[in-house]
Amino acid sequence: MVMRIWLRRSVLKPSLSKLFLLLLLCALCAACARDGATAAPVATASPSAHGGQPSTALQLSGLLKQPASLSLANLQSFPKVSVSVNAKPIGAHTFAGTLLYDVLQQAGVVTESARKNDLLRKAVVVTGSDGYAVAIAWGELDPAFAQKKILLAYEEDGKPLPAADGFARLVVPGDLMAGRYVSNVVSVLVRDPGVWPAPAQRQATSAFFLVGQLKTPARYDLAALKALKTSEVIIKGVTYSGVLLDDLLQHAGMQLKAKKNDFLHKGIVAVGSDGYSCVIADGEIQPHFGNVQILVAFAANGKPLAESDGFARIVVPGDQKMGRFISNLQELQVVELAA
């Protein structure tokens, strides 16, 4: 009987090794509880509002003398510029950052010195981490021609950009629907649309061709232009009459791909009879985006254009040096700027 009781007690009594392990386990649990109370949560990457990953750097490439990779610190080394905007999808905000023009000036754009205003034949394609891309004409961002402060912004309303917008966001003041506000910028590419016509002797034109990515390419003379809706713009005291470039493109019908805002990938190359040419971004002239009233003018102050300007001339409101005023218009070609 005594032996039976002793055996039961010996079975219930834990061994020293088991007791040691139990005490060690309790100590570890207590330590974990203390650490968990003070440690910061582990940050995890989240996709941007546009479906891409938050960006931390961008690549400068294309027709540049000094291609580079730029981080936030690199952008902050440039003069800081602020712009206030009010676009319908995002509301009123003040963005701060670096002028896109300043960044590209430092990188150095490759140009042909033999061509007058060769920069005006260049386009800048900005792409986000989700692949969304838009085109900007050089004439939009160069302060010698336009007064638009296009930013690579890194602050919004005095604070760093929301995480979903990455380290830099393209901001294009004047774009009413913010279609060219690219979040999570990862690439800035400088390019031209293709081979340019050789310089030639200027000749008065009586018609031009509208060609390229259009449903109905056509030849337009004065009668054909006057058959379309006439608009007017006043530039430096001169009232020009003609057809808005956007109206002309709407009439011809652009060939668009099944992708978001594909028209923001397009550009128009305007060519004069002397070979002088320039690029106009479609986003620049779209009524719900840049809404610049670029005109194919056929009259000035109620009279036909001067003989030296031909029957039709491109005029661009806001172009300080009139560098994209193409006289003796010979061709308008719709091209793909952002593939």
Side-chain angles (χ1 to χ4, degrees), residues 111-183:
T111 59
E112 295 184 34
S113 58
R115 286 189 174 276
K116 182 181 178 181
N117 290 338
D118 188 49
L119 280 170
L120 295 179
R121 282 167 274 276
K122 303 295 185 278
V124 182
V125 179
V126 180
T127 306
S129 61
D130 60 353
Y132 184 74
V134 300
I136 299 168
W138 185 268
E140 291 186 83
L141 61 87
D142 191 330
F145 298 95
Q147 297 296 312
K148 192 179 293 185
K149 295 180 179 179
I150 298 177
L151 288 186
L152 289 171
Y154 48 77
E155 289 183 3
E156 179 181 325
D157 298 328
K159 300 178 181 179
L161 292 176
D165 288 329
F167 88 109
R169 184 182 193 184
L170 181 70
V171 173
V172 184
D175 270 28
L176 304 180
M177 295 297 291
R180 293 191 290 176
Y181 284 47
V182 179
S183 297

Side-chain angles (χ1 to χ4, degrees), residues 18 23 38 57 93 156 263:
K18 289 182 178 179
L23 291 173
T38 58
H93 294 282
E156 179 181 325
F263 55 88

Side-chain angles (χ1 to χ4, degrees), residues 10-297:
S10 66
V11 171
L12 294 174
K13 184 178 180 180
S15 67
L16 290 175
S17 60
K18 289 182 178 179
L19 181 60
F20 175 78
L21 290 174
L22 181 61
L23 291 173
L24 180 61
L25 180 61
C26 291
L28 289 172
C29 290
C32 290
R34 288 193 302 271
D35 291 343
T38 58
V42 177
T44 57
S46 60
S48 76
H50 302 282
Q53 293 297 315
S55 60
T56 57
L58 64 86
Q59 299 297 318
L60 292 178
S61 61
L63 297 173
L64 295 172
K65 298 174 183 176
Q66 297 178 342
S69 176
L70 299 184
S71 65
L72 176 59
N74 296 136
L75 291 183
Q76 290 174 333
S77 69
F78 289 89
K80 187 176 181 179
V81 177
S82 296
V83 295
S84 295
V85 301
N86 191 355
K88 290 182 180 179
I90 64 172
H93 294 282
T94 297
F95 290 96
T98 303
L99 288 174
L100 178 58
Y101 174 80
D102 287 348
V103 170
L104 296 176
Q105 279 292 94
Q106 179 171 288
V109 179
V110 177
T111 59
E112 295 184 34
S113 58
R115 286 189 174 276
K116 182 181 178 181
N117 290 338
D118 188 49
L119 280 170
L120 295 179
R121 282 167 274 276
K122 303 295 185 278
V124 182
V125 179
V126 180
T127 306
S129 61
D130 60 353
Y132 184 74
V134 300
I136 299 168
W138 185 268
E140 291 186 83
L141 61 87
D142 191 330
F145 298 95
Q147 297 296 312
K148 192 179 293 185
K149 295 180 179 179
I150 298 177
L151 288 186
L152 289 171
Y154 48 77
E155 289 183 3
E156 179 181 325
D157 298 328
K159 300 178 181 179
L161 292 176
D165 288 329
F167 88 109
R169 184 182 193 184
L170 181 70
V171 173
V172 184
D175 270 28
L176 304 180
M177 295 297 291
R180 293 191 290 176
Y181 284 47
V182 179
S183 297
N184 294 296
V185 175
V186 294
S187 172
V188 175
L189 170 73
V190 179
R191 59 161 303 189
D192 63 41
V195 178
W196 299 102
Q201 188 70 31
R202 176 182 293 186
Q203 297 180 350
T205 55
S206 58
F208 67 83
F209 291 91
L210 180 62
V211 296
Q213 298 184 16
L214 297 165
K215 296 177 182 177
T216 54
R219 176 183 179 274
Y220 287 86
D221 57 15
L222 183 59
L225 280 181
K226 287 186 173 181
L228 302 177
K229 177 185 175 183
T230 297
S231 298
E232 292 184 344
V233 297
I234 300 175
I235 302 174
K236 296 184 177 181
V238 178
T239 300
Y240 290 97
S241 303
V243 179
L244 289 174
L245 181 55
D246 183 65
D247 287 345
L248 186 63
L249 296 178
Q250 292 296 326
H251 179 74
M254 295 181 67
Q255 293 179 354
L256 298 176
K257 300 174 184 176
K259 60 172 65 175
K260 183 179 179 181
N261 292 342
D262 185 53
F263 55 88
L264 296 181
H265 298 177
K266 303 292 190 284
I268 302 95
V269 181
V271 183
S273 64
D274 58 355
Y276 185 77
S277 53
C278 72
V279 168
I280 298 165
D282 193 47
E284 183 179 2
I285 62 175
Q286 284 279 341
H288 295 300
F289 294 88
N291 197 34
V292 179
Q293 306 286 288
I294 296 179
L295 196 72
V296 181

